[in-house]
Amino acid sequence: MKLKSFFLLSCAVLASSANGQTESDRVATKGFAMFAADDTFHPYEFTRHAVGDNDIQIDIMYAGICHSDLHAAWDEQQEQGLHATYPIVPGHEIAGRVSKVGKNVTKFKVGDFAGVGCMVNACGHCASCEADKEQFCENGTTFTYNSPDRYHDGENAMGGYSDNIVVSENFAIKIPETADMKRVAPLLCAGVTTWSPIHFSNVKKGDKVGVAGYGGLGHMAVQYLVDLGAEVTVFDRTEEKRADAARMGAVRYINVANPEELKGLNNSFDFILSTIPANYEPIMYLAMLKMGGELAIVGLPDKSILNIANMAFLSQRKVYGSLIGGIKETQEMLDYSVKHGIYPEVVIINADEKEIDKAWKNVSDGNVKFRYVNDKMIKHT
Ligand code: NDP
Ligand code: ZN
């Protein structure tokens, strides 16, 4: 064994024994993984780090399928400097029941419902963490999968398409007993990612707002905005969802594939949220804002052209990006959503590798209304 590897291994063993954990304390997990960008899913057995003093173990009941799972596992975010490390077990919309708690845990007890979103750890003391924005931790957020876990020897974090997860209690969200467990998981990403910019932009009753991209995230945004009393216009590129938008309370549906429908919209919106996951020209939406209006970008196209010169001509309209939400905000969103009955519309699948492959194809092709959720990650009858 090379000296460096021996040193690292010794450190790992010392670190483990220092908090009383050994290799045998690691948690056996069954999940579904991809081993390359052009791969399909395979059953995959692995171990997670042991349940530390401040950690909980959650037996996963449901796991949502987010378009970000596809971007990550298909390695589509290289321009953003994000590279896939295989095997990848995706899944960051996780809901389940606590099966084990570390000795310092105070927020949860065995049997409670708990959720995990897009992150599982951060330093807890930098300016971002102090401001409850752990997703921007200056010392490195550990995201739920495809992310080196700097708090556990840098091992690659594995996500929620699996039967359990181990997480610091500070990064687990309490799910009330009254929640509809079948539908709650997507709130952990789609919910908070749309809730956060809507509140950051202080959208209020009567505001004229737009939601571009009416999928998993978009349909949550529409529900939050309608609930606030805003006047909502939905933008997507299909006729299939026109009636759904009206049913959810939107006043207008624009099929962007039909140029006629785009006429007369400039200077008319206070706020637009773009969840579009594919390439598009954001200037069109910037021009639709009133002066001082805000365009929030959460969708993650692999390439997008923002014409800076055009922005100068559209001066005093604002554009910003937004990444999920902090833990405190996620808890607030979840409590509010459950209390007010705001949930995603879900298609439940019986999770196995073939069903997940099929669901991913449908998400990619736009054939889902509105969010797939994996069921039977564990037996939970
Ligand atoms: P979905 O695939 O469920 O929804 C996207 C919707 O946008 C689909 O209805 C799609 O239609 C529509 N769409 C695609 N192109 C256009 C276009 N040019 N104009 C209008 N509508 C369009 O994806 P999600 O809601 O799960 O995710 C949306 C994006 O948000 C993804 O890029 C995802 O990675 C990102 N995301 C970002 C987060 C953040 O923190 N910033 C967190 C979570 C997700 P069609 O199906 O026909 O293509
Ligand atoms: Zn997501």
Side-chain angles (χ1 to χ4, degrees), residues 66-69 92-93 118 189-190 193 217 324 371:
C66 177
H67 205 120
S68 292
D69 296 341
H92 57 215
E93 295 184 336
C118 298
C189 173
T193 301
L217 266 59
I324 51 174
R371 196 60 141 189

Short mmCIF file of all heavy atoms in Angstrom, two decimals, residues 66-69 92-93 118 189-190 193 217 324 371, ligand 2:
data_model
loop_
_atom_site.label_atom_id
_atom_site.label_comp_id
_atom_site.label_asym_id
_atom_site.label_seq_id
_atom_site.Cartn_x
_atom_site.Cartn_y
_atom_site.Cartn_z
N CYS A 66 -37.10 14.48 -10.26
CA CYS A 66 -36.94 15.88 -10.67
C CYS A 66 -36.16 15.93 -11.98
O CYS A 66 -35.30 15.08 -12.21
CB CYS A 66 -36.17 16.62 -9.57
SG CYS A 66 -35.81 18.35 -9.95
N HIS A 67 -36.42 16.93 -12.80
CA HIS A 67 -35.67 17.04 -14.05
C HIS A 67 -34.16 17.20 -13.78
O HIS A 67 -33.33 16.82 -14.58
CB HIS A 67 -36.20 18.21 -14.90
CG HIS A 67 -35.94 18.04 -16.36
ND1 HIS A 67 -36.93 17.99 -17.31
CD2 HIS A 67 -34.77 17.89 -17.05
CE1 HIS A 67 -36.40 17.84 -18.51
NE2 HIS A 67 -35.08 17.77 -18.37
N SER A 68 -33.82 17.75 -12.61
CA SER A 68 -32.39 17.87 -12.25
C SER A 68 -31.72 16.51 -12.14
O SER A 68 -30.51 16.39 -12.37
CB SER A 68 -32.23 18.58 -10.90
OG SER A 68 -32.61 19.92 -11.00
N ASP A 69 -32.48 15.49 -11.77
CA ASP A 69 -31.91 14.13 -11.72
C ASP A 69 -31.39 13.75 -13.11
O ASP A 69 -30.30 13.17 -13.24
CB ASP A 69 -32.97 13.10 -11.28
CG ASP A 69 -33.48 13.32 -9.86
OD1 ASP A 69 -32.79 14.03 -9.09
OD2 ASP A 69 -34.55 12.79 -9.53
N HIS A 92 -33.60 13.60 -4.87
CA HIS A 92 -33.47 14.61 -3.81
C HIS A 92 -34.85 15.15 -3.41
O HIS A 92 -34.96 16.30 -2.99
CB HIS A 92 -32.49 15.72 -4.22
CG HIS A 92 -32.87 16.42 -5.48
ND1 HIS A 92 -31.95 16.89 -6.38
CD2 HIS A 92 -34.07 16.74 -6.01
CE1 HIS A 92 -32.57 17.45 -7.39
NE2 HIS A 92 -33.87 17.39 -7.19
N GLU A 93 -35.85 14.30 -3.59
CA GLU A 93 -37.20 14.64 -3.09
C GLU A 93 -37.64 13.42 -2.29
O GLU A 93 -38.22 12.49 -2.84
CB GLU A 93 -38.15 14.91 -4.25
CG GLU A 93 -37.76 16.14 -5.07
CD GLU A 93 -38.75 16.48 -6.19
OE1 GLU A 93 -39.47 15.59 -6.65
OE2 GLU A 93 -38.76 17.65 -6.61
N CYS A 118 -32.45 18.71 -1.34
CA CYS A 118 -31.27 18.67 -2.22
C CYS A 118 -29.95 18.67 -1.49
O CYS A 118 -28.91 18.57 -2.12
CB CYS A 118 -31.31 19.85 -3.18
SG CYS A 118 -32.74 19.79 -4.24
N CYS A 189 -38.04 19.61 -3.19
CA CYS A 189 -37.26 20.35 -4.20
C CYS A 189 -38.16 21.26 -5.01
O CYS A 189 -38.03 22.48 -4.97
CB CYS A 189 -36.46 19.43 -5.10
SG CYS A 189 -35.68 20.33 -6.45
N ALA A 190 -39.12 20.67 -5.74
CA ALA A 190 -39.99 21.50 -6.61
C ALA A 190 -40.72 22.55 -5.79
O ALA A 190 -40.90 23.70 -6.23
CB ALA A 190 -40.99 20.61 -7.35
N THR A 193 -38.03 25.29 -4.35
CA THR A 193 -37.33 26.01 -5.42
C THR A 193 -38.22 27.09 -6.03
O THR A 193 -37.73 28.12 -6.52
CB THR A 193 -36.85 25.02 -6.51
OG1 THR A 193 -35.99 24.07 -5.89
CG2 THR A 193 -36.11 25.73 -7.62
N LEU A 217 -41.84 21.79 -11.43
CA LEU A 217 -41.66 23.03 -10.68
C LEU A 217 -42.77 24.03 -11.01
O LEU A 217 -43.35 24.66 -10.12
CB LEU A 217 -40.30 23.67 -11.01
CG LEU A 217 -39.12 23.33 -10.08
CD1 LEU A 217 -38.87 21.84 -10.04
CD2 LEU A 217 -37.86 24.08 -10.50
N ILE A 324 -32.66 26.26 -5.09
CA ILE A 324 -33.49 25.61 -4.03
C ILE A 324 -33.86 26.61 -2.94
O ILE A 324 -34.35 27.70 -3.24
CB ILE A 324 -32.84 24.30 -3.49
CG1 ILE A 324 -31.38 24.49 -3.08
CG2 ILE A 324 -32.99 23.22 -4.54
CD1 ILE A 324 -30.73 23.27 -2.41
N ARG A 371 -45.63 15.27 -11.81
CA ARG A 371 -44.40 14.80 -11.17
C ARG A 371 -44.47 13.30 -10.92
O ARG A 371 -45.45 12.82 -10.34
CB ARG A 371 -44.27 15.51 -9.81
CG ARG A 371 -42.90 15.45 -9.17
CD ARG A 371 -41.85 16.07 -10.02
NE ARG A 371 -40.86 16.84 -9.31
CZ ARG A 371 -39.97 17.59 -9.95
NH1 ARG A 371 -39.96 17.68 -11.26
NH2 ARG A 371 -39.07 18.27 -9.27
ZN ZN B 2 -34.98 18.88 -7.93
#
